[in-house]
Amino acid sequence: DAKTTQPPSMDCAEGRAANLPCNHSTISGNEYVYWYRQIHSQGPQYIIHGLKNNETNEMASLIITEDRKSSTLILPHATLRDTAVYYCIVRPNFGNEKLTFGTGTRLTIIP
Amino acid sequence: DSGVTQTPKHLITATGQRVTLRCSPRSGDLSVYWYQQSLDQGLQFLIQYYNGEERAKGNILERFSAQQFPDLHSELNLSSLELGDSALYFCASSTGILAGFSTDTQYFGPGTRLTVL
């Protein structure tokens, strides 16, 4: 599986957009980008995933660069409840269904 | 609420003992995954079952075993427990209908916190 690189920590003011970057320069054509978050010691929560087009759902937007070597997760209006560790995961679209978690980005929303 | 349930929520036991963790997947999901999260190792995949059959194995110790029953719930058995087995154990489930395709999103349960004294 392709390796991902994320900043270890970020701060964002409440109400502002939180932009979390992820580098996956070795991603291959059949690999998806997934984002999960873990609030304190709760179970990881699925946020969004994409292959090459930008994606949006009720939680977030995912922007993938044209060369697919990096992506950005956007939380449009961050709240205190968005404080969590965010994991960017690259996973092939067949054959290997496990999720390989890195160390993620610890996002702190500041009131 | 992801729809995945895990019991018990907390488990405290002694070294050398055996415990069983239980997971009920979301309704209709055929695949169940087990992950371990310890302070020093992060979140690691242990094992996956699909419709009762073992499908993939990760960093699972020989002292650990799992199974998935006909009603699709799964149990993770941990034996000869050591202090280092203290961790959070998460179960996740996915539909498995598109088994082998990454659009088969995994949803995680709340976890079982195991403390070995």
Side-chain angles (χ1 to χ4, degrees):
Chain A
D1 298 352
K3 184 177 166 58
T4 62
T5 304
Q6 298 178 253
S9 64
M10 291 180 64
D11 292 338
C12 178
E14 188 179 16
R16 305 296 295 268
N19 296 278
L20 293 93
C22 179
N23 185 290
H24 33 79
S25 58
T26 60
I27 194 170
S28 59
N30 67 347
E31 290 181 316
Y32 280 73
V33 179
Y34 274 76
W35 284 83
Y36 280 78
R37 72 181 182 184
Q38 187 174 25
I39 298 171
H40 194 46
S41 295
Q42 297 177 22
Q45 179 186 24
Y46 165 76
I47 302 173
I48 199 167
H49 74 280
L51 183 62
K52 53 183 176 181
N53 299 318
N54 297 339
E55 302 287 345
T56 295
N57 63 19
E58 66 279 0
M59 287 185 70
S61 294
L62 174 60
I63 309 297
I64 302 174
T65 57
E66 197 167 331
D67 63 7
R68 302 208 324 121
K69 293 185 177 182
S70 65
S71 60
T72 301
L73 178 74
I74 301 172
L75 308 178
H77 305 286
T79 71
L80 297 178
R81 286 180 296 181
D82 292 321
T83 292
V85 178
Y86 287 76
Y87 296 98
C88 169
I89 300 166
V90 170
R91 179 178 171 223
N93 69 341
F94 55 83
N96 189 355
E97 294 158 52
K98 69 176 183 182
L99 295 171
T100 302
F101 289 82
T103 51
T105 296
R106 183 172 296 278
L107 175 68
T108 303
I109 306 302
I110 301 169
Chain B
D1 184 0
S2 67
V4 179
T5 60
Q6 290 187 248
T7 56
K9 199 167 182 174
H10 301 278
L11 201 46
I12 301 174
T13 188
T15 54
Q17 294 298 304
R18 172 190 170 94
V19 298
T20 298
L21 313 183
R22 182 187 169 106
C23 168
S24 293
R26 296 184 317 155
S27 177
D29 281 0
L30 299 177
S31 270
V32 169
Y33 309 77
W34 286 96
Y35 292 83
Q36 178 194 55
Q37 186 173 32
S38 58
L39 280 174
D40 55 346
Q41 294 289 326
L43 261 162
Q44 290 206 311
F45 168 73
L46 294 178
I47 197 164
Q48 177 198 359
Y49 277 80
Y50 172 73
N51 203 20
E53 301 286 330
E54 183 185 302
R55 184 172 173 91
K57 236 174 180 174
N59 301 320
I60 187 165
L61 299 172
E62 284 191 16
R63 300 183 285 108
F64 296 1
S65 65
Q67 54 185 324
Q68 186 179 27
F69 294 86
D71 67 353
L72 300 177
H73 91 271
S74 177
E75 292 180 357
L76 179 67
N77 301 295
L78 315 177
S79 61
S80 303
L81 284 167
E82 302 174 1
L83 295 177
D85 298 327
S86 295
L88 280 164
Y89 290 85
F90 292 106
C91 165
S93 75
S94 67
T95 62
I97 292 173
L98 297 176
F101 290 86
S102 72
T103 52
D104 189 26
T105 300
Q106 293 179 32
Y107 296 91
F108 283 76
T112 293
R113 182 178 291 279
L114 173 66
T115 303
V116 182
L117 301 175

PDB file of all heavy atoms in Angstrom, chain A residues 91-111:
ATOM      1  N   ARG A  91      -5.606   2.975  -0.118  1.00  0.00           N
ATOM      2  CA  ARG A  91      -6.000   1.568  -0.130  1.00  0.00           C
ATOM      3  C   ARG A  91      -6.330   1.135  -1.542  1.00  0.00           C
ATOM      4  O   ARG A  91      -7.050   1.833  -2.246  1.00  0.00           O
ATOM      5  CB  ARG A  91      -7.207   1.420   0.783  1.00  0.00           C
ATOM      6  CG  ARG A  91      -7.799   0.049   0.902  1.00  0.00           C
ATOM      7  CD  ARG A  91      -8.947   0.160   1.884  1.00  0.00           C
ATOM      8  NE  ARG A  91      -9.732  -1.054   1.921  1.00  0.00           N
ATOM      9  CZ  ARG A  91     -11.057  -1.080   1.948  1.00  0.00           C
ATOM     10  NH1 ARG A  91     -11.732   0.050   1.932  1.00  0.00           N
ATOM     11  NH2 ARG A  91     -11.698  -2.214   2.003  1.00  0.00           N
ATOM     12  N   PRO A  92      -5.841  -0.015  -1.995  1.00  0.00           N
ATOM     13  CA  PRO A  92      -6.154  -0.451  -3.362  1.00  0.00           C
ATOM     14  C   PRO A  92      -7.625  -0.789  -3.515  1.00  0.00           C
ATOM     15  O   PRO A  92      -8.309  -1.110  -2.533  1.00  0.00           O
ATOM     16  CB  PRO A  92      -5.280  -1.699  -3.539  1.00  0.00           C
ATOM     17  CG  PRO A  92      -4.967  -2.160  -2.162  1.00  0.00           C
ATOM     18  CD  PRO A  92      -4.951  -0.941  -1.292  1.00  0.00           C
ATOM     19  N   ASN A  93      -8.116  -0.708  -4.748  1.00  0.00           N
ATOM     20  CA  ASN A  93      -9.541  -0.928  -4.951  1.00  0.00           C
ATOM     21  C   ASN A  93      -9.901  -2.398  -5.086  1.00  0.00           C
ATOM     22  O   ASN A  93     -11.039  -2.735  -5.259  1.00  0.00           O
ATOM     23  CB  ASN A  93     -10.055  -0.130  -6.159  1.00  0.00           C
ATOM     24  CG  ASN A  93      -9.529  -0.663  -7.473  1.00  0.00           C
ATOM     25  OD1 ASN A  93      -8.541  -1.368  -7.508  1.00  0.00           O
ATOM     26  ND2 ASN A  93     -10.187  -0.325  -8.559  1.00  0.00           N
ATOM     27  N   PHE A  94      -8.932  -3.273  -4.997  1.00  0.00           N
ATOM     28  CA  PHE A  94      -9.244  -4.692  -4.875  1.00  0.00           C
ATOM     29  C   PHE A  94      -8.041  -5.417  -4.321  1.00  0.00           C
ATOM     30  O   PHE A  94      -6.917  -4.970  -4.439  1.00  0.00           O
ATOM     31  CB  PHE A  94      -9.688  -5.300  -6.208  1.00  0.00           C
ATOM     32  CG  PHE A  94      -8.712  -5.112  -7.335  1.00  0.00           C
ATOM     33  CD1 PHE A  94      -7.635  -5.956  -7.518  1.00  0.00           C
ATOM     34  CD2 PHE A  94      -8.903  -4.070  -8.231  1.00  0.00           C
ATOM     35  CE1 PHE A  94      -6.748  -5.778  -8.557  1.00  0.00           C
ATOM     36  CE2 PHE A  94      -8.027  -3.890  -9.281  1.00  0.00           C
ATOM     37  CZ  PHE A  94      -6.957  -4.738  -9.443  1.00  0.00           C
ATOM     38  N   GLY A  95      -8.318  -6.537  -3.686  1.00  0.00           N
ATOM     39  CA  GLY A  95      -7.258  -7.421  -3.220  1.00  0.00           C
ATOM     40  C   GLY A  95      -6.859  -7.250  -1.778  1.00  0.00           C
ATOM     41  O   GLY A  95      -6.618  -8.215  -1.090  1.00  0.00           O
ATOM     42  N   ASN A  96      -6.768  -6.042  -1.278  1.00  0.00           N
ATOM     43  CA  ASN A  96      -6.256  -5.829   0.070  1.00  0.00           C
ATOM     44  C   ASN A  96      -7.207  -4.908   0.795  1.00  0.00           C
ATOM     45  O   ASN A  96      -7.139  -3.695   0.632  1.00  0.00           O
ATOM     46  CB  ASN A  96      -4.857  -5.231   0.015  1.00  0.00           C
ATOM     47  CG  ASN A  96      -4.194  -5.199   1.383  1.00  0.00           C
ATOM     48  OD1 ASN A  96      -4.813  -5.536   2.381  1.00  0.00           O
ATOM     49  ND2 ASN A  96      -2.949  -4.782   1.432  1.00  0.00           N
ATOM     50  N   GLU A  97      -8.118  -5.495   1.576  1.00  0.00           N
ATOM     51  CA  GLU A  97      -9.188  -4.692   2.126  1.00  0.00           C
ATOM     52  C   GLU A  97      -8.879  -4.061   3.467  1.00  0.00           C
ATOM     53  O   GLU A  97      -9.635  -3.249   3.944  1.00  0.00           O
ATOM     54  CB  GLU A  97     -10.445  -5.566   2.239  1.00  0.00           C
ATOM     55  CG  GLU A  97     -10.976  -5.996   0.885  1.00  0.00           C
ATOM     56  CD  GLU A  97     -11.841  -7.229   0.969  1.00  0.00           C
ATOM     57  OE1 GLU A  97     -12.782  -7.231   1.784  1.00  0.00           O
ATOM     58  OE2 GLU A  97     -11.585  -8.196   0.220  1.00  0.00           O
ATOM     59  N   LYS A  98      -7.751  -4.438   4.085  1.00  0.00           N
ATOM     60  CA  LYS A  98      -7.454  -3.893   5.401  1.00  0.00           C
ATOM     61  C   LYS A  98      -7.144  -2.401   5.277  1.00  0.00           C
ATOM     62  O   LYS A  98      -6.759  -1.895   4.224  1.00  0.00           O
ATOM     63  CB  LYS A  98      -6.254  -4.603   6.010  1.00  0.00           C
ATOM     64  CG  LYS A  98      -4.944  -4.290   5.295  1.00  0.00           C
ATOM     65  CD  LYS A  98      -3.769  -4.936   5.972  1.00  0.00           C
ATOM     66  CE  LYS A  98      -2.487  -4.530   5.249  1.00  0.00           C
ATOM     67  NZ  LYS A  98      -1.294  -5.163   5.832  1.00  0.00           N
ATOM     68  N   LEU A  99      -7.311  -1.694   6.384  1.00  0.00           N
ATOM     69  CA  LEU A  99      -6.918  -0.296   6.479  1.00  0.00           C
ATOM     70  C   LEU A  99      -5.587  -0.226   7.217  1.00  0.00           C
ATOM     71  O   LEU A  99      -5.429  -0.816   8.271  1.00  0.00           O
ATOM     72  CB  LEU A  99      -7.973   0.505   7.229  1.00  0.00           C
ATOM     73  CG  LEU A  99      -9.341   0.625   6.550  1.00  0.00           C
ATOM     74  CD1 LEU A  99     -10.343   1.262   7.493  1.00  0.00           C
ATOM     75  CD2 LEU A  99      -9.226   1.422   5.260  1.00  0.00           C
ATOM     76  N   THR A 100      -4.633   0.492   6.633  1.00  0.00           N
ATOM     77  CA  THR A 100      -3.331   0.680   7.267  1.00  0.00           C
ATOM     78  C   THR A 100      -3.265   2.109   7.788  1.00  0.00           C
ATOM     79  O   THR A 100      -3.183   3.059   7.010  1.00  0.00           O
ATOM     80  CB  THR A 100      -2.190   0.416   6.275  1.00  0.00           C
ATOM     81  OG1 THR A 100      -2.306  -0.916   5.778  1.00  0.00           O
ATOM     82  CG2 THR A 100      -0.840   0.592   6.959  1.00  0.00           C
ATOM     83  N   PHE A 101      -3.328   2.240   9.115  1.00  0.00           N
ATOM     84  CA  PHE A 101      -3.346   3.552   9.744  1.00  0.00           C
ATOM     85  C   PHE A 101      -1.920   4.025  10.016  1.00  0.00           C
ATOM     86  O   PHE A 101      -1.102   3.276  10.522  1.00  0.00           O
ATOM     87  CB  PHE A 101      -4.113   3.510  11.065  1.00  0.00           C
ATOM     88  CG  PHE A 101      -5.592   3.338  10.919  1.00  0.00           C
ATOM     89  CD1 PHE A 101      -6.147   2.087  10.731  1.00  0.00           C
ATOM     90  CD2 PHE A 101      -6.443   4.434  10.971  1.00  0.00           C
ATOM     91  CE1 PHE A 101      -7.519   1.920  10.598  1.00  0.00           C
ATOM     92  CE2 PHE A 101      -7.816   4.285  10.843  1.00  0.00           C
ATOM     93  CZ  PHE A 101      -8.356   3.025  10.653  1.00  0.00           C
ATOM     94  N   GLY A 102      -1.666   5.292   9.693  1.00  0.00           N
ATOM     95  CA  GLY A 102      -0.400   5.909  10.085  1.00  0.00           C
ATOM     96  C   GLY A 102      -0.586   6.600  11.418  1.00  0.00           C
ATOM     97  O   GLY A 102      -1.419   6.199  12.228  1.00  0.00           O
ATOM     98  N   THR A 103       0.171   7.660  11.635  1.00  0.00           N
ATOM     99  CA  THR A 103       0.085   8.383  12.902  1.00  0.00           C
ATOM    100  C   THR A 103      -0.918   9.536  12.836  1.00  0.00           C
ATOM    101  O   THR A 103      -1.307  10.070  13.859  1.00  0.00           O
ATOM    102  CB  THR A 103       1.447   8.932  13.314  1.00  0.00           C
ATOM    103  OG1 THR A 103       2.004   9.663  12.220  1.00  0.00           O
ATOM    104  CG2 THR A 103       2.392   7.788  13.674  1.00  0.00           C
ATOM    105  N   GLY A 104      -1.344   9.905  11.644  1.00  0.00           N
ATOM    106  CA  GLY A 104      -2.399  10.902  11.511  1.00  0.00           C
ATOM    107  C   GLY A 104      -2.003  12.313  11.907  1.00  0.00           C
ATOM    108  O   GLY A 104      -0.861  12.604  12.263  1.00  0.00           O
ATOM    109  N   THR A 105      -2.984  13.215  11.809  1.00  0.00           N
ATOM    110  CA  THR A 105      -2.834  14.616  12.232  1.00  0.00           C
ATOM    111  C   THR A 105      -3.763  14.871  13.402  1.00  0.00           C
ATOM    112  O   THR A 105      -4.968  14.635  13.296  1.00  0.00           O
ATOM    113  CB  THR A 105      -3.203  15.590  11.087  1.00  0.00           C
ATOM    114  OG1 THR A 105      -2.299  15.435  10.012  1.00  0.00           O
ATOM    115  CG2 THR A 105      -3.173  17.036  11.589  1.00  0.00           C
ATOM    116  N   ARG A 106      -3.192  15.363  14.478  1.00  0.00           N
ATOM    117  CA  ARG A 106      -4.028  15.744  15.625  1.00  0.00           C
ATOM    118  C   ARG A 106      -4.522  17.169  15.395  1.00  0.00           C
ATOM    119  O   ARG A 106      -3.739  18.120  15.461  1.00  0.00           O
ATOM    120  CB  ARG A 106      -3.236  15.654  16.929  1.00  0.00           C
ATOM    121  CG  ARG A 106      -4.057  15.976  18.168  1.00  0.00           C
ATOM    122  CD  ARG A 106      -3.284  15.677  19.439  1.00  0.00           C
ATOM    123  NE  ARG A 106      -2.982  14.254  19.570  1.00  0.00           N
ATOM    124  CZ  ARG A 106      -3.811  13.332  20.037  1.00  0.00           C
ATOM    125  NH1 ARG A 106      -5.022  13.685  20.439  1.00  0.00           N
ATOM    126  NH2 ARG A 106      -3.436  12.075  20.143  1.00  0.00           N
ATOM    127  N   LEU A 107      -5.812  17.301  15.096  1.00  0.00           N
ATOM    128  CA  LEU A 107      -6.430  18.610  14.850  1.00  0.00           C
ATOM    129  C   LEU A 107      -7.075  19.114  16.127  1.00  0.00           C
ATOM    130  O   LEU A 107      -7.904  18.418  16.720  1.00  0.00           O
ATOM    131  CB  LEU A 107      -7.483  18.501  13.743  1.00  0.00           C
ATOM    132  CG  LEU A 107      -8.291  19.764  13.459  1.00  0.00           C
ATOM    133  CD1 LEU A 107      -7.396  20.843  12.853  1.00  0.00           C
ATOM    134  CD2 LEU A 107      -9.463  19.460  12.535  1.00  0.00           C
ATOM    135  N   THR A 108      -6.695  20.303  16.528  1.00  0.00           N
ATOM    136  CA  THR A 108      -7.291  20.936  17.700  1.00  0.00           C
ATOM    137  C   THR A 108      -8.049  22.164  17.252  1.00  0.00           C
ATOM    138  O   THR A 108      -7.486  23.049  16.593  1.00  0.00           O
ATOM    139  CB  THR A 108      -6.212  21.341  18.726  1.00  0.00           C
ATOM    140  OG1 THR A 108      -5.458  20.183  19.096  1.00  0.00           O
ATOM    141  CG2 THR A 108      -6.851  21.956  19.963  1.00  0.00           C
ATOM    142  N   ILE A 109      -9.335  22.211  17.570  1.00  0.00           N
ATOM    143  CA  ILE A 109     -10.164  23.373  17.248  1.00  0.00           C
ATOM    144  C   ILE A 109     -10.136  24.304  18.463  1.00  0.00           C
ATOM    145  O   ILE A 109     -10.458  23.892  19.584  1.00  0.00           O
ATOM    146  CB  ILE A 109     -11.600  22.966  16.912  1.00  0.00           C
ATOM    147  CG1 ILE A 109     -11.601  21.913  15.792  1.00  0.00           C
ATOM    148  CG2 ILE A 109     -12.420  24.198  16.508  1.00  0.00           C
ATOM    149  CD1 ILE A 109     -10.922  22.355  14.514  1.00  0.00           C
ATOM    150  N   ILE A 110      -9.770  25.534  18.196  1.00  0.00           N
ATOM    151  CA  ILE A 110      -9.589  26.507  19.274  1.00  0.00           C
ATOM    152  C   ILE A 110     -10.791  27.436  19.336  1.00  0.00           C
ATOM    153  O   ILE A 110     -11.173  28.007  18.315  1.00  0.00           O
ATOM    154  CB  ILE A 110      -8.303  27.306  19.039  1.00  0.00           C
ATOM    155  CG1 ILE A 110      -7.108  26.339  18.992  1.00  0.00           C
ATOM    156  CG2 ILE A 110      -8.102  28.369  20.112  1.00  0.00           C
ATOM    157  CD1 ILE A 110      -5.851  26.973  18.524  1.00  0.00           C
ATOM    158  N   PRO A 111     -11.410  27.572  20.532  1.00  0.00           N
ATOM    159  CA  PRO A 111     -12.600  28.435  20.621  1.00  0.00           C
ATOM    160  C   PRO A 111     -12.260  29.906  20.427  1.00  0.00           C
ATOM    161  O   PRO A 111     -11.126  30.333  20.599  1.00  0.00           O
ATOM    162  CB  PRO A 111     -13.111  28.186  22.046  1.00  0.00           C
ATOM    163  CG  PRO A 111     -12.022  27.488  22.766  1.00  0.00           C
ATOM    164  CD  PRO A 111     -11.092  26.885  21.782  1.00  0.00           C
TER     165      PRO A 111
END
